[in-house]
Amino acid sequence: MQVALFITCFNDTLFPDTGKAVVKVVEQLGHQVIFPEEQTCCGQMHFNTGYQVEAMPLIRRFVEIFSQYEAIVSPSASCVGMVREMYRFAAEVHQDVKLADEVALLAGRVYEFSEFIVNRLGVQDVGAYYPHRVTYHPTCHSLRGIHVGDAPEQLLRAVRGIDYVPLTQSTECCGFGGTFAVKNADTSMAMLGDKIRHILDTRAEVCVAADNSCLMHIGGALHRQRSGVRIAHLAEILAAQE
Amino acid sequence: MKKPESVIIALAPRFEVGAKSALQNTQLRRNMGKATQTIRAKRAAVVEELSDWESLRVAGQHIKDEVLQHLDTYLVQLEDAITQAGGHVHWAKDAHEANEIVTRLIQATGAKEIIKVKSLTTDEIRLNEALELAGITAIETDLAELIIQLAHEKSSHILVPAIHKNRSEIRALFQKSMNLPELTDEPKELAAAARQYLREKFMTVRVATSGANFAIAETGSVCVVESEGNGRMCLTMPDVLISVMGIEKILPRWQDLGVFMQLLPRSSTGERMNPYTSIWTGVHADDGPQEFHLVLLDNGRSDVLADSVGRQTLHCIRCSACINVCPVYERTGGHAYGSVYPGPIGAILTPQLVGMAHADSLPYASSLCGACYDVCPVRINIPEVLVHLRGKVVAEKQAQPKSWFDGENIGMKAMATAFGHRSTYEFAQRAGQLAQWPFVHEGYIEHGPGPLGKWTAMRDFPAIPPQSFRDWWRERQRDE
Amino acid sequence: MSNSSRNAMLAKIRTAISNGSRGDFHEAHTNAAYLSNDDENIAVRIDLFAHRVAEYKAWVGRCKADAIAQAIGERLMIRGKKRIVIPSDLPASWLPTGIDFIRDAQLDRAEVAGMDGVLSGAALGIAQTGTIVLDGGAFQGRRMISLLPDYHLCIIRAQDIVGMVPEAFTQLETARRNPIQPYTFISGPSATSDIELNRVEGVHGPRTLDVFIVG
């Protein structure tokens, strides 16, 4: 299968290793990865902050660039959620029926990385080896936005050598929320404080998630506290080998 | 007569300002954390019991959709049915009109004192203040409302207005205001004190006001859902009953109660059924008040109805499940929302009722985590409405010339332009890699400039690596 | 108020209805196939009802139809209740000797409030939620008499217990009178969750609720 990688501007710029890991895992499973280089940003930050007029060209651009691919995979549940859940709404806000139709055709072919591996490819064990104590934070958009279910946990549990520890109150938001983290920094930090406490309680070496944006938030506090706990995108764990 | 304020927010500070002071109150955070964790677990347990919960939610949504699509018809049908059953229906386009109607009806009885069943709608229109100006004392009879009234505070939760107070704080309040120095902080004893305090009022006051949870268009029946029996007292004992109801609270058919009386108690107090529900139709011979008035209140609701995305907000049955599950509300409490409607539902309802200019910080009082949508018994897509309202806030801001100097606006527009083409996007990427060097320390930015500073005040920010993913991809393509 | 407010409101609502429609973007309604009745036999249903009522910290007992008076007498003895208000149509055959029963023939509120308790029948029961419904019908009387006394002994016939909430509303609709009667749904003794969100029994309504299922 040809798989078009939707890297997201955020991962492209700040977390290139996640993209490399996705390429490695998908290719190892025998599929061809294509990277449409015209891609930039899906428009999520603008749209969700209220800059909806500014987001529209980005949304139309994304639809144009990715419409031709059979499967589009992204290591960001939140950007996948934008395309699958919010593009229809964006089309409605701008009363663009044509865009709505195009989105309806495209949305079903856009996958978050873990749901693509588990649900589309039917694979749980990707042959990874990662001898570390790991906990997993299900990000809001992966859990409630696009309903990946337990696909990430299935993949993690199949990793050889891993010491997987579940997180207490895992389904609670870490307080990132895009511009929320800046606009409501105090509340965001109160939420993050509780999340960090639960992560430290697991005595994990690494905190894993399906969104680098939330991980950046969590990792920002872990690093500030010199906690020694690292963050890693799920794809990077699955790409690790002996 | 001085006119009372008819808006919900009277000079409330922006959400983030109110939140900051709330977050510093450690007692409040302990009380809120304990209460929200308790109610979440209770709700989850009773929802789990019903195999058809999701179908009930869909049914609730559909019924409400139908109500709103034919609201004019159902309101007229309700009016006819109530009138036939010996009741009177009044129409109030705003808070001011509603307060005038209620005041006039009470004055006609000559009463100087009324008893009240807890009602958000009457809180919204500030009925108590309006009555006070007319020399009428309104006595709140719900335990939590009584606590708030005795403490001269504002509600912090739509269902449990005193959720921010723990038992020892309530004991201290009752000891003082009821003159009961021996009172302990046993909840049973505190409830008994309230029973004794209000009994005489229930036996003697001739006029009551209430809200309404539901009104059935086909029969003219009005329904109040409660726990303590103060509702039954107010609905049964006085001679005159005046109920104030938002126009959206209507249900088409009697049978619809079979859906909503499952959704509401489980979502609300996390019980299979609340202790008491009263349903009455007009007046009943030899049983209860012999004069009944229903005031139908618009007060901004028809504006919400006219907004295709915002309209779903009117599905709300005021259960408070979204409030209880909200991680933001859990940390800040209700007062930060500056409205009788706090939490996620407040963040979407308040700005729509009073206008963005008065409440433009509320649509941003959410991390869009989606927990509210998951628990909403009538499937209001709260994150969708929040994003929709953010769009309105920005549009209103951009319509003003001062937005030309607004940093966020300038930055967002610049980024959108850069993201519009691959070349400008890649240029911006490289510019970021170069511009960050004065701030980077061992792979992290600990003190960022400009808006990044708000982030790095509390957490570190990762440095932009020298090679982007696309650079790596191109290198890899070349090597192959 | 004036007709002008009424007409203005209705006109505004009508405009809003057409302006606020999602039109082409409206999501099609999916099937909402919620359950409207259970398939349980009467014995299971009665057990569930008894169990769920008891979970509200009410006392629940069973008795045969020909032993109602004796059961009531024993119960009131245990509770120490001597002066009991009863609806005017309550059958004499229910009443044991040795207790002072006062029929409600327009008693005033102080008299009702002064009673030790109330004895009543019920319109129906809902097993799923442990709810008793009163509709002012046979053996139930005015709303006031089941509200003011601090103790309520309620007698419900086994055949009047339905499985689920929607069934209850269907049954009440079938039994609707003209003019429509008032309804009171009772699930346990009066309670509040206003103190730290814990349910505490006993505020303004009867603080003690005893229930006999007959048959």
Side-chain angles (χ1 to χ4, degrees), chain C residues 71-84:
Chain C
I72 289 172
E74 284 168 10
R75 197 68 215 150
L76 292 176
M77 196 74 86
I78 291 167
R79 292 291 187 190
K81 306 291 179 188
K82 303 219 155 43
R83 276 171 56 79
I84 302 291

Side-chain angles (χ1 to χ4, degrees), chain B residues 268-400:
Chain B
S268 190
T269 45
E271 295 171 294
R272 295 187 184 107
M273 193 62 91
N274 51 293
Y276 298 132
T277 297
S278 297
I279 307 174
W280 72 99
T281 308
V283 296
H284 303 280
D286 303 325
D287 190 350
Q290 292 304 298
E291 186 180 331
F292 168 57
H293 301 271
L294 180 69
V295 181
L296 296 171
L297 176 76
D298 184 328
N299 205 34
R301 286 164 176 76
S302 55
D303 296 324
V304 185
L305 186 69
D307 181 321
S308 61
V309 181
R311 179 185 279 192
Q312 57 188 312
T313 312
L314 298 178
H315 289 185
C316 178
I317 55 173
R318 310 285 190 264
C319 72
S320 70
C322 65
I323 300 174
N324 298 333
V325 81
C326 178
V328 173
Y329 176 86
E330 177 188 342
R331 301 327 187 283
T332 66
H335 292 142
Y337 294 81
S339 161
V340 296
Y341 301 111
I345 186 63
I348 62 172
L349 183 59
T350 306
Q352 293 189 87
L353 289 181
V354 303
M356 298 300 148
H358 297 282
D360 68 343
S361 64
L362 288 181
Y364 294 94
S366 164
S367 65
L368 303 180
C369 86
C372 47
Y373 182 26
D374 265 15
V375 298
C376 177
V378 285
R379 301 183 81 240
I380 302 170
N381 190 338
I382 294 176
E384 179 180 273
V385 181
L386 285 167
V387 169
H388 172 63
L389 296 177
R390 291 176 181 188
K392 290 190 164 196
V393 171
V394 169
E396 280 189 21
K397 182 169 80 175
Q398 288 178 336
Q400 296 166 356

Side-chain angles (χ1 to χ4, degrees), chain B residues 34-36 38-39 42 49-52 55-56 58-59 62 65 68-72 75-76 79 90-93 97 100-101 104 141-144 159-160 162-163 165-167 170 187-188 190-192 194-195 198-199 202-203 206 218-219 221 227-230 232-233 235-237 239 247 254-255 257-259 261-262 266 269 271-281 284 286-289 296-298 302-303 305-309 311-312 384, chain C residues 1-10 12-23 26-36 51-52 55-57 106 108-114 126-132 134 136 141-152 164-174 176 179-207:
Chain B
K34 182 165 179 279
T36 52
T38 305
I39 190 71
K42 279 171 73 179
E49 262 180 26
L50 296 189
S51 62
D52 61 340
S55 299
L56 285 167
V58 172
H62 289 183
D65 268 345
L68 297 176
Q69 193 56 37
H70 306 283
L71 189 55
D72 55 334
L75 285 169
V76 172
E79 180 186 37
H90 309 262
W91 300 69
K93 68 173 184 297
E97 251 183 39
E100 259 185 12
I101 294 167
R104 192 170 41 77
T141 63
D142 172 78
L143 180 52
L159 184 76
V160 197
I163 191 171
K165 285 201 168 323
N166 65 24
R167 61 178 78 183
I170 298 168
K188 219 171 182 105
L190 296 171
R195 177 184 171 99
L198 286 169
R199 189 41 85 111
F202 290 137
M203 298 298 282
R206 315 311 301 162
E218 69 174 359
T219 61
S221 309
S227 293
E228 296 166 12
N230 62 312
R232 292 178 70 190
M233 290 285 183
L235 303 171
T236 313
M237 302 305 295
D239 299 330
I247 49 175
W254 173 262
Q255 290 286 342
L257 285 172
V259 172
M261 284 311 294
Q262 294 192 74
R266 288 178 200 256
T269 45
E271 295 171 294
R272 295 187 184 107
M273 193 62 91
N274 51 293
Y276 298 132
T277 297
S278 297
I279 307 174
W280 72 99
T281 308
H284 303 280
D286 303 325
D287 190 350
L296 296 171
L297 176 76
D298 184 328
S302 55
D303 296 324
L305 186 69
D307 181 321
S308 61
V309 181
R311 179 185 279 192
Q312 57 188 312
E384 179 180 273
Chain C
M1 192 165 210
S2 66
N3 255 337
S4 71
S5 281
R6 178 185 189 273
N7 295 340
M9 273 171 71
L10 281 169
K12 197 171 172 217
I13 288 165
R14 287 182 184 125
T15 313
I17 288 172
S18 60
N19 288 351
S21 164
R22 289 189 97 149
H26 192 83
E27 279 177 276
H29 280 173
T30 46
N31 187 24
Y34 65 88
L35 305 173
S36 47
H51 186 72
R52 293 274 155 100
E55 281 194 357
Y56 295 123
K57 300 197 187 144
Q106 296 301 313
D108 73 30
R109 56 185 65 198
E111 288 173 309
V112 176
I126 309 170
Q128 185 187 32
T129 58
T131 302
I132 292 160
L134 306 183
R142 294 187 290 163
R143 284 177 285 174
M144 187 213 287
I145 63 164
S146 58
L147 175 62
L148 292 179
D150 202 9
Y151 169 74
H152 185 184
M164 303 181 72
V165 174
E167 280 176 274
F169 283 95
T170 307
Q171 197 136 321
L172 291 173
E173 187 166 48
T174 313
R176 194 154 70 201
I180 304 176
Q181 61 270 49
Y183 302 93
T184 306
F185 288 52
I186 297 172
S187 305
S190 101
T192 181
S193 301
D194 281 352
I195 301 165
E196 298 175 359
L197 278 173
N198 284 314
R199 180 160 167 147
V200 182
E201 282 67 32
V203 197
H204 304 296
R207 286 184 284 192

Side-chain angles (χ1 to χ4, degrees), chain A residues 27 39 49 51 223-224, chain B residues 364 408 419 425 460 470 476:
Chain A
E27 286 183 345
Q39 65 179 287
T49 311
Y51 292 83
H223 189 262
R224 174 67 54 98
Chain B
Y364 294 94
E408 182 189 286
F419 291 162
Y425 165 79
D460 296 339
R470 59 179 59 222
R476 184 172 183 256

Side-chain angles (χ1 to χ4, degrees), chain B residues 18-84:
Chain B
K20 188 169 184 137
S21 61
L23 286 163
Q24 286 159 352
N25 183 341
T26 50
Q27 181 66 54
L28 173 78
R29 281 186 63 186
R30 259 201 304 278
N31 293 356
M32 294 304 301
K34 182 165 179 279
T36 52
Q37 298 297 338
T38 305
I39 190 71
R40 281 178 205 172
K42 279 171 73 179
R43 179 205 160 272
V46 293
V47 162
E48 188 85 352
E49 262 180 26
L50 296 189
S51 62
D52 61 340
W53 181 254
E54 286 308 314
S55 299
L56 285 167
R57 289 179 75 215
V58 172
Q61 178 193 22
H62 289 183
I63 294 166
K64 284 291 185 179
D65 268 345
E66 183 196 342
V67 166
L68 297 176
Q69 193 56 37
H70 306 283
L71 189 55
D72 55 334
T73 312
Y74 288 131
L75 285 169
V76 172
Q77 196 186 358
L78 178 74
E79 180 186 37
D80 287 347
I82 288 179
T83 310
Q84 267 192 12

